Amino acid sequence: MRNNREEEEKKEGSFNLDWRFNQTLRNVQGLLKGRSFPGKVLLTRKSEPSYEFGLPERPLDSERSHSEDDLGRGELMDSPPEGEVPNATRTISSGEAHKLKSSTTNSENKSGDVQKSMSGARATDSARVTKFTKELSGPAVILETLRQLAWSGVPSYMRPNVWRLLLGYAPPNSDRREGVLKRKRLEYIECVSQYYDIPDTERSDDEINMLRQIAVDCPRTVPDVTFFQQVEIQKSLERILYTWAIRHPASGYVQGINDLVTPFLIVFLSEYLEGNMETWLVSDLSPSNICNIEADCYWCLSKLLDGMQDHYTFAQPGIQRLVFKLKEVVRRIDEPVSRHMEEQGLEFLQFAFRWFNCLLIREIPFHLVTRLWDTYLAEGDALPDFLVYIFASFLLTWSDKLQKLEFQEMVMFLQHLPTHNWTHQELEMVLSRAYMWHTMFESSPSHLAN
């Protein structure tokens, strides 16, 4: 009798936990439907918040932020009053939870009316741009504030400046910024002259082979985007990658790094070229402008990879470590799909290695990549660990589908995911779930213990 009672208590406890978890996910989905989408988050993480599983996450407040690419599409982005800062380290009281739940329900009921409010959407967009403008126009940028804003998307025309600041390439003090950028751009030109613009007779055999591999990979970079097939773009890629590899001998050039340059190229080219990316002609730019763009790409790539050096050293141990953690996180979040994949003999390295190697650039439409990278760069040094939760959320988008597939079908499906019609809505959902799961598991590391 005692054993039966214990079994029943375990089942009941498991049911309650599952119910609370599912309720949390439904709350997030409800926020999406009501267009009051969780977005702004506090990233200090000095003390981990404690949340009940059944409560909506407080750090994901009611502000929904988009890149400038979305402005004018009529989607409401609710913002808190100017000056209000969400408390990311305070546990939500039951009263607050009830209010937030009621607010969510009301927003669901009013979602039809909300989407018709074009003027409201524009007003909210304007308020968000004002926040960025205020932060960027001061004598010194407060990087933590900028990270909070950028996590949920950066207006496209502000991205070049914001990305340079987030990566530490441009200094926060405005009076030093121009001088630092000028000096670093000149340094890049000198490196190209010293390492790239030399005859092969002055290179070692390893350097010649590396340059040949880069020359082969450049035309393969983001093959679905014809813009990158321009000769000038491929030569810029070649110069950036070769110079970086020579100056970082611990890793050298690794296939996949070529993809990581492309978001920087697009963002920094946008400072000089207007209109749709597919209509851009790099041949219209002056040599000095091309040098500036390449230099910014080079230094920003260097800053990005400084935080994940062991991802691209021999055997790429950093990626292998994160793939293992991804497997554990998926097992904790969605045991049925994890068990099915294991029964079918599918290893996470077979599909997730490319995700970590190229940071999902090849898995989603390219027009969404810069929005995704706003969040990447806002995460700063914490990015590698947060990638695990983004990729878990990305994978479990197709949980039901995967459980119906056998090994070969799963491999084919995961190599050709149906994301070609994705919009910002699907990407925001992935990021929202990632933050929710990160909050749950990172504050309770024992959940991930073997």
Side-chain angles (χ1 to χ4, degrees), residues 166 257 285 411 442:
L166 291 178
I257 296 179
L285 297 175
V411 171
E442 284 297 301

Side-chain angles (χ1 to χ4, degrees), residues 400-436:
D400 293 341
K401 172 76 172 178
L402 290 170
Q403 293 180 59
K404 299 173 184 177
L405 302 178
E406 295 183 356
F407 173 81
Q408 192 62 40
E409 295 171 318
M410 271 196 290
V411 171
M412 294 299 294
F413 181 77
L414 290 169
Q415 288 179 351
H416 303 89
L417 289 167
T419 59
H420 54 279
N421 289 327
W422 269 30
T423 65
H424 284 83
Q425 178 174 304
E426 287 81 10
L427 181 59
E428 300 285 359
M429 192 68 227
V430 166
L431 294 174
S432 175
R433 286 194 304 257
Y435 186 83
M436 178 180 68

Side-chain angles (χ1 to χ4, degrees), residues 312-359:
Y312 301 99
T313 53
F314 178 73
Q316 300 180 256
I319 290 181
Q320 295 198 50
R321 183 180 65 251
L322 293 182
V323 170
F324 176 79
K325 188 175 181 181
L326 173 63
K327 181 178 180 179
E328 286 295 295
V329 168
V330 170
R331 183 168 65 88
R332 297 293 181 176
I333 293 171
D334 194 332
E335 197 274 337
V337 75
S338 175
R339 184 176 64 249
H340 177 72
M341 293 168 72
E342 186 173 344
E343 289 172 349
Q344 292 296 318
L346 181 64
E347 294 291 338
F348 275 64
L349 276 170
Q350 292 176 287
F351 63 89
F353 188 89
R354 185 173 79 173
W355 296 3
F356 284 104
N357 198 49
C358 301
L359 299 184

